[in-house]
């Protein structure tokens, strides 16, 4: 049996990408009659190949300044790839109950904190300029020029920053005795 998911965040209401992810889980749980479904929900996965991580890393590496609109303070819980792999392994165990689980990193960070930390890891600290009127659409167009991430996906990721991306679902790591999640850095 599967549990019901929490209500969509403000970000999920605006972002086609986040709505699609939530809807896929809903369909799987509704259509899998007689089959236990376990859904893991992760935000930014800290790894090569993760489009959201690529976008953040490229922006942190290439921009000498960070234009910070208020919505860049929306919060998220980036998770390391090694932790995601451990969560998937745990989810595949027959004793793991079905349901919807967050697969979240150990820290809750604002989007600007993620970019500033990545900048420091890359050897520089971008200058922060507050821009209260910067829209998601304008930011998406500008950021697409500074990243290798696909333009259409960049737009969806930016629109997803309308609100906090922290899950209210139980965290899979709470059930994983002895597992210590990797910090963002």
């Amino acid at each position: 049996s599967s549990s019901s998911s929490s209500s969509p965040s403000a970000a999920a209401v605006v972002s086609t990408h986040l709505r699609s992810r939530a809807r896929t889980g809903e369909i799987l749980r509704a259509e899998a009659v007689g089959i236990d479904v376990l859904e893991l929900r992760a935000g930014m996965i800290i790894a090569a190949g993760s489009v959201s991580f690529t976008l953040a890393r490229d922006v942190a590496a290439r921009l000498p300044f960070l234009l910070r609109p208020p919505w860049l303070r929306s919060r998220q819980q980036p998770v390391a790839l090694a932790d995601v792999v451990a969560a998937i392994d745990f989810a595949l165990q027959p004793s793991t109950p079905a349901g919807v689980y967050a697969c979240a990193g150990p820290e809750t960070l604002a989007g600007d904190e993620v970019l500033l930390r990545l900048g420091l890891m890359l050897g520089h600290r971008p200058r922060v300029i507050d821009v209260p009127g910067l829209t998601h659409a304008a930011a998406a167009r500008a950021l697409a020029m500074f990243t290798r991430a696909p333009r259409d996906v960049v737009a969806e990721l930016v629109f997803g920053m309308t609100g906090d991306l922290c899950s209210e679902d139980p965290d899979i790591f709470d059930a994983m005795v002895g597992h210590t999640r990797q910090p963002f850095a």
Side-chain angles (χ1 to χ4, degrees):
S1 66
S2 64
S3 66
S4 62
S5 63
S6 58
S7 61
S9 68
V13 172
V14 174
S15 168
T16 302
H17 166 72
L18 293 174
R19 276 196 321 269
S20 175
R21 286 177 48 171
R23 183 71 181 128
T24 299
E26 291 168 7
I27 291 169
L28 284 172
R29 290 189 303 280
E31 299 296 323
V33 178
I35 300 172
D36 288 341
V37 174
L38 188 145
E39 178 183 349
L40 294 174
R41 293 181 174 178
M44 177 190 291
I45 298 174
I46 305 164
S50 163
V51 178
S52 56
F53 182 73
T54 298
L55 172 61
R57 191 205 60 80
D58 287 352
V59 167
R62 295 177 177 164
L63 293 181
F65 54 88
L66 171 62
L67 298 179
R68 183 172 57 191
W71 50 264
L72 194 54
R73 292 193 179 105
S74 60
R75 302 183 67 70
Q76 56 185 295
Q77 296 170 290
V79 61
L81 179 60
D83 292 330
V84 174
V85 170
I88 292 169
D89 182 56
F90 181 76
L92 293 172
Q93 304 305 313
S95 59
T96 306
V100 177
Y101 295 92
C103 184
E107 297 178 85
T108 301
L109 302 169
D112 59 347
E113 290 176 290
V114 169
L115 295 171
L116 291 171
R117 282 199 192 180
L118 285 169
L120 288 174
M121 284 187 264
L122 295 167
H124 65 91
R125 181 175 181 84
R127 183 168 169 239
V128 177
I129 303 168
D130 288 317
V131 184
L134 184 60
T135 67
H136 289 81
R141 283 191 303 275
L143 291 175
M145 294 185 289
F146 294 97
T147 181
R148 295 165 290 151
R151 287 179 183 265
D152 56 337
V153 179
V154 169
E156 284 302 318
L157 293 173
V158 171
F159 282 114
M161 297 186 79
T162 302
D164 289 345
L165 297 172
C166 302
S167 178
E168 295 176 8
D169 299 312
D171 196 314
I172 191 76
F173 297 109
D174 291 342
M176 295 172 61
V177 177
H179 180 82
T180 302
R181 292 176 283 180
Q182 296 180 15
F184 186 79

